[in-house]
Amino acid sequence: MDLQKVIEEAKKDLQNFKEIYVMFSGGKDSLVALHLTKSIFPEKTKALFINTGIPTPGVIDYVKETCKELGVELTIIGPKYDYFELVKRIGFPTITRRWCKYYLKLKPLKDFVKDKEGIVLVTGVRKDESWVKSRTQKMYYNKLIKAFSYAIIHDFTEKDVEEYIKTHGLKKNPLYDIYGKAYECWCSAFKSPADFAVLALKNPEFFQKFVDVEAELGGNVSGLFYNHQKIYFRDIQKDPNYYLQKFKRTYKCPLCRTLV
């Protein structure tokens, strides 16, 4: 990866936008995207965090601290509806019923950009993350939210990201050491039973909220529908280690990451 080439391309591609907002989720890819964009456009770069209402406890604190350290103005937006109240009304989101995307991320983002002109949203999307990402463009107009999106580290590999963080002395989110990833959203559509087992072990108070809403929906309603089978949060709570051994972790949400 030629960093100087990336910088020169970004200068040319982004120079005419009035406002540059980096979608900072608290993950390492968006951290590099934020730092790199800030280094190129120190006056115009701002950070945008979508608080889905169900981020891993600690993510928002990290986002705020990092933006303060980098001297970047931070805007936090979020849905008008509480996730757990939506679950009570609609049911848990699944692969085939991904209402979480619209209510938790898409709608808040559409509302944020609708009155803004000359705005671009910079993301930490990388083309080597998956076959879905490999088909994405570095710059494109997102018709759903009516704004331009720019993947500044589109050509970075995971190794490039790690080296950039090390070279520039950036502080990676400590939640990586606890959960394997700094989840900004615990929507059940793209989480495996093993992911929630880790949550049950590491943050039982937060996990209890999922157990409680599952119980309110009735005994036959499961919080997860994974590999064509119902998985109950109450069962994960009883024996999280069993679910860690039986299922694989899922670190990526291809739908959410291609949102912008």
Side-chain angles (χ1 to χ4, degrees), residues 6-257:
V6 172
I7 292 173
E8 292 303 319
E9 286 183 355
K11 285 181 179 179
K12 184 178 74 171
D13 295 339
L14 303 178
Q15 63 181 343
N16 293 324
F17 288 99
K18 294 179 181 178
E19 293 186 287
I20 301 173
Y21 281 91
V22 179
M23 304 294 296
F24 185 36
S25 67
K28 59 185 179 181
D29 290 342
S30 64
L31 171 64
V32 172
L34 179 61
H35 184 273
L36 180 56
T37 306
K38 168 72 172 177
S39 70
I40 302 170
F41 299 98
E43 303 300 325
K44 289 200 296 183
T45 299
K46 301 176 183 179
L48 182 64
F49 177 78
I50 303 179
N51 180 7
T52 61
I54 48 172
T56 307
V59 166
I60 297 178
D61 289 338
Y62 169 80
V63 166
K64 289 180 178 179
E65 291 170 5
T66 301
C67 288
K68 184 177 180 180
E69 290 176 1
L70 296 179
V72 176
E73 178 183 326
L74 170 66
T75 298
I76 299 178
I77 61 175
K80 296 179 180 179
Y81 307 98
D82 176 78
Y83 172 76
F84 297 104
E85 291 301 320
L86 285 171
V87 170
K88 292 176 187 178
R89 288 168 46 191
I90 309 172
F92 283 100
T94 65
I95 293 293
T96 56
R97 294 178 64 249
R98 300 183 293 260
W99 57 258
C100 50
K101 171 193 173 183
Y102 178 79
Y103 285 108
L104 302 187
K105 292 188 174 183
L106 182 58
K107 183 63 166 61
L109 196 53
K110 287 176 66 176
D111 291 342
F112 175 74
V113 304
K114 66 181 180 181
D115 296 324
K116 295 183 178 295
E117 295 182 0
I119 185 176
V120 61
L121 302 174
V122 175
T123 75
V125 171
R126 294 184 292 105
K127 67 181 182 182
D128 78 333
E129 289 183 87
S130 67
W131 70 269
V132 175
K133 309 292 176 55
S134 68
R135 298 164 66 90
T136 60
Q137 295 177 307
K138 191 168 188 176
M139 168 78 84
Y140 74 99
Y141 184 76
N142 191 315
K143 295 180 180 179
L144 291 175
I145 60 175
K146 298 181 180 179
F148 281 95
S149 177
Y150 187 73
I152 192 168
I153 62 168
H154 193 255
D155 297 322
F156 278 48
T157 64
E158 185 172 1
K159 182 179 179 181
D160 291 332
V161 168
E162 294 290 350
E163 288 183 354
Y164 187 98
I165 290 173
K166 183 178 180 180
T167 299
H168 293 86
L170 302 180
K171 179 185 176 183
K172 190 160 63 174
N173 197 324
L175 292 176
Y176 276 99
D177 295 331
I178 301 173
Y179 297 94
K181 190 179 186 302
Y183 293 115
E184 85 278 17
C185 180
W186 278 92
C187 168
S188 56
F190 284 98
K191 298 292 184 295
S192 78
D195 294 327
F196 275 101
V198 172
L199 184 63
L201 289 168
K202 301 297 184 179
N203 201 312
E205 290 184 7
F206 184 47
F207 182 76
Q208 185 65 45
K209 294 182 178 181
F210 295 89
V211 176
D212 290 344
V213 72
E214 182 185 69
E216 286 192 45
L217 291 175
N220 292 324
V221 176
S222 65
L224 291 172
F225 189 74
Y226 192 79
N227 287 347
H228 308 291
Q229 61 179 311
K230 289 184 175 182
I231 305 291
Y232 294 91
F233 287 132
R234 62 175 183 263
D235 292 335
I236 295 176
Q237 187 179 51
K238 292 176 183 177
D239 191 0
N241 287 308
Y242 168 78
Y243 288 89
L244 271 176
Q245 295 172 4
K246 185 175 181 179
F247 297 94
K248 293 181 180 180
R249 297 293 309 279
T250 303
Y251 292 108
K252 298 176 182 178
C253 172
L255 181 70
C256 294
R257 287 299 307 280

